Amino acid sequence: MAKGPPKSIRGDRPAPAPSPWPLLDSLDEVERRELLSTARRRRFARREVLFHHGDPGDTVHLIVSGWVAVHVPAPRGGRVTLAMLGPGEAVGELALISEGTRAATAVALEPTETISVRRSQFEEVRQDHPGVDRLLVEILAARVRRLNTRLTEAYFSSAPERVVRRLAAVAEQACGEHETRCTLRLTQEDLAGLAGTSRATVNCVLRDLEDRGVLKLGRGVIVVPDAGALTRLVS
């Protein structure tokens, strides 16, 4: 017997189309518009801070365009970069499930636009749509898995290998499914934070990759002509 189109918990209404942000996938278009109409659209310049470590955590930023780095202070000074997030992703999700202060600092790596949703606005949505909680847990679980991968690399991979792995992952993320060439507005300090090593080590690795034709270095940017070539180096 042929199956009909998927149905949602709203009776015979069709399942909602995917949202630009997976966090909102369980809402239909009307509900998304209602939520986003009460949200605040924000624009950040390159290197502008979205929020600081220790700030009150009461909003989540849905990234419309641009890239955001998430840092935490290192015990002996400096910083560790936990993640780089781009369009379609959210930053600051912990604010939706736990009151308290920010556990990290978020910085725009390039001109970035976000939609800022307050916890109080999101609470109203969660009451009517428990599926949002499931998606939120899945997103946070994926973040934990990525951090576990990074921890394993820290124990078993050399610093140069970690630099190439993190660069390959960022390039793959930035290029998406249909592109192979991308320009990363990523400083050597950012990459050092991602790889858990020194800026000097990052500089040596990048110069070697440039000599081999894998990438091209510019002022504050890294041009990757073929993200697949980077991935093959660490596969």
Side-chain angles (χ1 to χ4, degrees), residues 140-199:
L140 293 174
R143 296 277 168 85
V144 171
R145 286 193 292 270
R146 286 202 292 268
L147 289 176
N148 286 342
T149 298
R150 297 267 299 279
L151 182 61
T152 302
E153 289 178 358
Y155 277 106
F156 299 108
S157 300
S158 66
E161 184 179 355
R162 293 199 305 272
V163 172
V164 179
R165 285 184 180 278
R166 292 301 97 219
L167 184 60
V170 172
E172 183 178 1
Q173 184 181 10
C175 287
E177 297 181 359
H178 307 294
E179 300 291 337
T180 58
R181 179 185 176 89
C182 58
T183 298
L184 308 176
R185 299 191 180 279
L186 184 69
T187 67
Q188 294 185 17
E189 184 178 4
D190 293 326
L191 188 52
L194 277 171
T197 188
S198 67
R199 187 179 180 279

Side-chain angles (χ1 to χ4, degrees), residues 37-89:
S37 68
T38 62
R40 180 183 177 190
R41 190 169 288 266
R42 304 283 304 276
R43 291 181 174 84
F44 300 90
R46 186 170 187 250
R47 294 295 159 183
E48 187 174 356
V49 174
L50 281 69
F51 52 78
H52 289 275
H53 175 268
D55 283 351
D58 58 359
T59 59
V60 61
H61 289 267
L62 307 176
I63 302 175
V64 178
S65 63
W67 287 85
V68 175
V70 181
H71 307 296
V72 294
R76 298 183 180 180
R79 67 190 186 194
V80 176
T81 305
L82 298 180
M84 287 182 57
L85 306 171
E89 296 185 282

